[in-house]
Amino acid sequence: MNMMQITNQGSHLLLTIEPFPEWEQFIDWGTAWLTDSPIEPPWDISEGADRHMVVFTFNRARFSLNYENYTQSIWITPEESAADDLLEQLQLTLQTPSG
């Protein structure tokens, strides 16, 4: 699949990906990536003019996988205060190959 680095920025996880997914394919890419990870569906999907978002649950806390077109950025943010303390654990989980 893609080469990826996940960096903890304190308040969010920044994803550096090569090749970078195209705007039109982000939702398909994001749900495929989450499917290949230990994160289980369901996911809430939101597509906007400037930003796409896939909201998911990890250890009973909500996070969002975000893609912004103008900055060509992909990141994960906690969607609730309970998720703040799980950010590092989520990073480690996503960096560990599933299977």
Side-chain angles (χ1 to χ4, degrees), residues 7-86:
T7 306
N8 191 328
Q9 300 290 308
S11 62
H12 65 280
L13 300 177
L14 181 64
L15 281 65
T16 306
I17 304 164
E18 288 186 27
F20 198 80
E22 294 293 326
W23 172 252
E24 298 81 17
Q25 281 102 28
F26 173 73
I27 296 297
D28 290 338
W29 175 90
T31 55
W33 179 61
L34 289 172
T35 299
D36 288 342
S37 78
I39 308 300
E40 296 192 18
W43 307 297
D44 295 323
I45 296 171
S46 173
E47 294 182 76
D50 302 330
R51 189 163 132 192
H52 294 330
M53 182 169 53
V54 179
V55 178
F56 61 92
T57 302
F58 173 73
N59 283 359
R60 295 179 291 207
R62 290 174 53 87
F63 293 85
S64 62
L65 173 64
N66 302 275
Y67 181 115
E68 187 177 76
N69 192 33
Y70 292 118
T71 61
Q72 294 287 287
S73 302
I74 298 177
W75 70 97
I76 295 173
T77 56
E79 287 292 305
E80 57 192 22
S81 60
D84 291 341
D85 295 334
L86 295 172

